[in-house]
């Protein structure tokens, strides 16, 4: 045993707070549960005595707690602490925890259970654990499928180092949430005061020159190469490294609809849109840069391309079925790998480069003309608001504002990406893992980037999935103003589209009875924000759109969240 001095009243709550402090957690995102009294007491003591500790956020829904930790982690890229309540709280927050896994966000999620049910020495944990809150195998068994690592803390004396291990595991590639079940008895047990070791940042891994040089030669020899990326921009420095690489080699970059974040400036002449289809038969080299599953269906193999996968962890364990058709792997830090390849952009075939540069210029010009034409058409509509007009108006109003767009639309997601046209690192994120997290993720992004405007684009169906009241409460309580723009077409459009696709001549098409889709019955969505004193607007005419968004952005700049419910035509 290590000889240490025990602080008066030190228990497992102190051990946990000390551990999160040591690993550098800025925040504890907590959806309250009765097991956390020892943590609250430790925090109260530290606040009283002026001792350091993470800032505690008292949140009223599990999805809000985990979603805010996700949004914060997207920007800061360091593990934070999330405290949920027992197995029910873990289950309630599980979709958001799974979303953090898919988004690659590190965090340490904890909840609790009892191990003695009142039959052991020490304080009685309470009968609710025996009757209602315990779960067979413990909550760490429940958490295992949707976390990177999941276990139970077995002793108050090992708890701090267990938190350190969980945080370090969550931060290493592939980053994601780790879960720690901390029995209530451990939180109440006397602690010997030993300090947790500070968290050590991940070291970087690199592909060797012997691996990079042949890939550089493949690129040098390629006539029609293309980059496809989903999450290059999620890595620190990845966005900038990809831009430098593409420019050095003059290679177009495709961001498929499955992109998790902004990876490349959508305004850049080398941005080649969202459709890999045109390249499947024509490309002779496809560079998959941080791509989970680029081909759909998976058997859809490119006709003649050599495929190089550039990814720190190309085989993602949480992907059930993954087909990359790789001919070569460059494994290691993606930004570093791209920089190494950029340095090797020498002795190029200028004639081949000129041909593909000219072809990409034509594609880019055609795309810009198509965007402009779509926006002209949307602006000329006399009746109703086209979603293209909403996205284009946002782009104009956000120009030069260093804004961040968080997107939780479904049928409008292509419109948002195509017409908002984000162009900077950490300026666009798509919510992962299931609808209902968008407001919380946007609030977490705002918490991490308080000097930048944050805009959430969301469909009316997704909006109704969100824990709206707890989210507004968090926005108001912690002064996190965001702009929420609802693309409200009064229908679950994606459900309706699938019904029509699967049964184009079915009974529903014959009778008009489309079940599971109608949202006309919902009240004014903006009105839910009124009790919180937030700025609200409902817009149903094109002429009213720009003034409403301007007023909303002014409200956000002055510190108040704004909700603009836009009634769109489709």
């Amino acid at each position: 045993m290590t000889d240490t001095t025990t602080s008066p009243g030190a228990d497992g709550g102190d051990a946990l707070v000390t551990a999160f402090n040591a690993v550098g957690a800025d925040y504890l995102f907590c959806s309250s549960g009765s097991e956390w009294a020892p943590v609250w007491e430790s925090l109260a003591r530290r606040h009283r005595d002026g001792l350091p500790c993470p800032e505690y956020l008292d949140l009223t829904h599990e999805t809000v707690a985990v979603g805010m930790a996700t949004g914060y982690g997207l920007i800061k890229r360091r593990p934070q602490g999330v405290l949920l309540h027992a197995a029910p709280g873990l289950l309630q927050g599980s979709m958001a925890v799974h979303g953090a896994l898919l988004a690659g966000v590190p965090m340490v999620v904890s909840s609790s259970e009892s191990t003695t049910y009142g039959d052991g020495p020490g304080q009685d944990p309470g009968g609710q654990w025996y009757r209602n809150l315990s779960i067979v195998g413990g909550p760490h068994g429940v958490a295992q499928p949707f976390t990177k690592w999941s276990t139970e803390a077995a002793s108050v004396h090992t708890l701090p180092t267990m938190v350190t291990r969980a945080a370090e595991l969550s931060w290493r590639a592939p980053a994601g949430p780790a879960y720690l079940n901390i029995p209530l008895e451990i939180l109440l047990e006397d602690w010997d005061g030993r300090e947790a070791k500070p968290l050590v940042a991940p070291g970087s891994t690199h592909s060797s020159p012997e691996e990079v040089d042949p890939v550089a030669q493949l690129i040098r020899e390629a006539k029609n190469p293309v980059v496809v990326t989903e999450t290059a921009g999620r890595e620190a420095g990845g966005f900038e490294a990809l831009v430098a690489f593409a420019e050095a080699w003059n290679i177009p970059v495709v961001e498929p609809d499955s992109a998790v974040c902004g990876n490349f400036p959508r305004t850049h002449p080398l941005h080649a849109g969202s459709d890999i289809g045109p390249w499947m038969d024509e490309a002779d080299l496809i560079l998959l840069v941080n791509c989970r599953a680029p081909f759909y269906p998976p058997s859809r193999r490119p006709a003649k391309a050599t495929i190089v996968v550039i990814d720190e962890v190309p085989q993602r364990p949480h992907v059930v079925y993954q087909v990359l058709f790789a001919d070569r792997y460059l494994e290691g830090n993606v930004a570093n790998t791209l920089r190494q390849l950029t340095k090797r952009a020498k002795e190029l075939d200028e004639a081949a480069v000129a041909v593909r540069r000219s072809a990409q210029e034509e594609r880019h010009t055609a795309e810009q003309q198509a965007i402009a034409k779509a926006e002209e058409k949307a602006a000329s509509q006399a009746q109703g608001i086209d979603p293209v007009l909403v996205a284009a108006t946002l782009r104009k109003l956000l120009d030069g504002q260093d804004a961040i767009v968080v997107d939780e639309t479904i049928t409008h997601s292509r419109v948002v990406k195509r017409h908002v046209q984000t162009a900077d690192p950490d300026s666009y994120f798509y919510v992962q893992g299931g609808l209902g997290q968008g407001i919380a993720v946007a609030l977490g992004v705002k918490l991490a980037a308080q000097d930048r405007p944050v805009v959430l684009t969301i469909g009316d169906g997704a909006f109704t999935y969100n824990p709206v009241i707890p989210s507004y409460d968090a926005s108001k309580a912690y002064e996190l103003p965001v702009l929420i723009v609802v693309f409200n077409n009064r229908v679950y459009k994606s459900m309706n589209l699938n019904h029509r696709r699967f049964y184009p001549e079915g009974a529903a098409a014959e009778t008009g009875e489309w079940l599971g889709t109608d949202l006309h019955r919902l009240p004014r969505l903006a009105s839910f924000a009124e009790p919180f004193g937030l700025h609200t607007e409902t817009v149903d005419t094109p002429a009213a759109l720009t003034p409403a968004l301007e007023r909303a952005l002014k409200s956000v700049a002055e510190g108040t969240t704004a909700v603009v419910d836009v009634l769109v035509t489709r």
Side-chain angles (χ1 to χ4, degrees):
M1 296 290 289
T2 302
D3 292 329
T4 57
T5 302
T6 303
S7 303
D11 59 15
D14 292 293
L16 188 60
V17 172
T18 296
F20 275 122
N21 200 56
V23 302
D26 302 315
Y27 292 94
L28 295 179
F29 298 86
C30 182
S31 177
S32 299
S34 53
E35 65 264 50
W36 299 122
V39 169
W40 297 333
E41 181 64 18
S42 174
L43 291 170
R45 270 198 303 270
R46 287 169 178 266
H47 295 158
R48 180 196 64 192
D49 299 338
L51 298 175
C53 58
E55 185 171 343
Y56 176 84
L57 299 183
D58 200 355
L59 305 165
T60 55
H61 196 283
E62 292 83 358
T63 299
V64 176
V66 182
M68 285 184 64
T70 298
Y72 190 84
L74 286 170
I75 299 293
K76 295 296 187 180
R77 299 180 173 89
R78 290 183 286 104
Q80 305 299 310
V82 179
L83 307 181
L84 305 178
H85 175 43
L90 176 64
L91 290 169
Q92 181 71 42
S94 61
M95 180 187 68
V97 177
H98 181 237
L101 179 70
L102 297 182
V105 174
M107 63 180 68
V108 178
V109 181
S110 291
S111 68
S112 187
E113 202 170 278
S114 174
T115 53
T116 65
Y117 311 111
D119 280 336
Q123 298 190 56
D124 180 5
Q128 77 274 16
W129 301 94
Y130 181 53
R131 292 189 297 267
N132 301 322
L133 295 183
S134 293
I135 191 164
V136 175
H140 49 292
V142 171
Q144 193 168 14
F146 53 84
T147 58
K148 184 179 175 184
W149 179 80
S150 178
T151 193
E152 179 179 79
S155 166
V156 69
H157 307 297
T158 59
L159 175 59
T161 49
M162 288 289 279
V163 172
T164 301
R165 174 168 167 73
E168 290 188 341
L169 279 167
S170 78
W171 204 0
R172 266 63 184 174
Y179 174 77
L180 195 58
N181 173 29
I182 309 173
L184 179 54
E185 289 83 351
I186 286 179
L187 291 171
L188 292 168
E189 189 177 346
D190 289 343
W191 174 50
D192 60 14
R194 69 185 69 186
E195 292 294 319
K197 188 178 184 298
L199 190 66
V200 177
S204 59
T205 57
H206 305 282
S207 292
S208 68
E210 290 79 10
E211 295 167 316
V212 174
D213 286 339
V215 172
Q217 187 60 28
L218 286 174
I219 302 172
R220 198 172 286 114
E221 294 170 355
K223 303 298 183 184
N224 196 20
V226 65
V227 170
V228 183
T229 183
E230 292 179 328
T231 63
R234 185 181 62 194
E235 315 299 330
F239 189 101
E240 298 88 341
L242 182 56
V243 171
F245 168 80
E247 289 177 344
W249 291 94
N250 242 283
I251 300 178
V253 176
V254 173
E255 283 186 288
D257 291 333
S258 52
V260 171
C261 57
N263 304 287
F264 197 80
R266 296 193 73 88
T267 54
H268 197 288
L270 287 172
H271 196 287
S274 300
D275 186 8
I276 192 177
W279 302 92
M280 295 296 286
D281 294 328
E282 299 302 323
D284 56 356
L285 177 66
I286 296 177
L287 300 156
L288 299 178
V289 181
N290 265 28
C291 260
R292 298 165 296 177
F295 310 118
Y296 191 83
S299 59
R300 187 188 181 204
R301 183 170 190 147
K304 59 184 179 183
T306 298
I307 298 175
V308 176
V309 174
I310 301 174
D311 202 319
E312 190 159 9
V313 185
Q315 285 82 23
R316 287 165 171 76
H318 63 266
V319 176
V320 175
Y321 183 60
Q322 184 189 34
V323 180
L324 297 174
F325 295 122
D327 295 298
R328 286 181 180 268
Y329 288 107
L330 285 183
E331 297 183 43
N333 180 272
V334 168
N336 180 72
T337 301
L338 291 172
R339 293 186 195 110
Q340 294 305 312
L341 288 169
T342 299
K343 291 178 182 178
R344 290 163 169 76
K346 302 172 183 177
E347 302 176 7
L348 306 186
D349 183 340
E350 294 301 333
V353 169
V355 169
R356 68 172 178 257
R357 182 190 298 121
S358 176
Q360 175 55 25
E361 286 173 354
E362 289 182 14
R363 282 189 293 266
H364 182 73
T365 299
E367 172 65 2
Q368 294 306 306
Q369 290 173 345
I371 289 172
K373 185 176 180 180
E375 292 180 2
E376 288 173 9
K377 180 180 178 182
S380 67
Q381 268 189 200
Q383 299 294 324
I385 303 173
D386 191 291
V388 168
L389 181 63
V390 183
T393 303
L394 278 173
R395 181 187 73 242
K396 294 169 186 174
L397 293 177
L398 296 175
D399 184 39
Q401 300 299 311
D402 193 27
I404 304 173
V405 176
V406 177
D407 188 17
E408 198 177 28
T409 60
I410 297 296
T411 55
H412 296 123
S413 62
R414 292 182 183 178
V415 168
V416 169
K417 283 184 281 193
R418 191 183 191 208
H419 294 277
V420 174
Q421 293 190 320
T422 55
D424 300 308
D426 292 339
S427 60
Y428 174 86
F429 298 101
Y430 191 79
V431 176
Q432 298 293 298
L435 299 177
Q437 309 169 62
I439 306 177
V441 173
L443 292 173
V445 168
K446 183 64 178 178
L447 184 67
Q450 297 191 31
D451 58 341
R452 298 176 65 182
V454 175
V455 179
L456 171 67
T457 52
I458 187 169
D460 51 328
F463 182 89
T464 61
Y465 289 160
N466 274 254
V468 173
I469 291 174
S471 298
Y472 288 166
D473 172 66
S475 172
K476 188 75 178 287
Y478 296 106
E479 298 180 346
L480 299 171
V482 298
L483 170 58
I484 301 170
V485 180
V486 184
F487 286 65
N488 189 347
N489 57 9
R490 284 81 72 203
V491 65
Y492 282 125
K493 190 71 172 180
S494 62
M495 286 79 149
N496 186 253
L497 289 173
N498 266 3
H499 193 158
R500 293 174 184 271
R501 180 162 65 95
F502 296 143
Y503 303 98
E505 299 177 358
E510 180 183 345
T511 64
E513 185 183 13
W514 301 106
L515 301 175
T517 64
D518 185 24
L519 294 177
H520 280 87
R521 66 182 183 271
L522 293 177
R524 286 178 50 226
L525 298 183
S527 64
F528 293 98
E530 291 171 0
F532 292 90
L534 308 183
H535 180 91
T536 65
E537 303 257 4
T538 299
V539 185
D540 60 2
T541 64
L545 179 62
T546 296
L549 289 174
E550 287 175 336
R551 289 190 295 269
L553 285 167
K554 183 174 183 291
S555 171
V556 171
E558 293 172 349
T560 300
T561 285
V563 184
V564 182
D565 183 17
V566 185
L567 307 184
V568 294
T569 55
R570 58 186 173 91

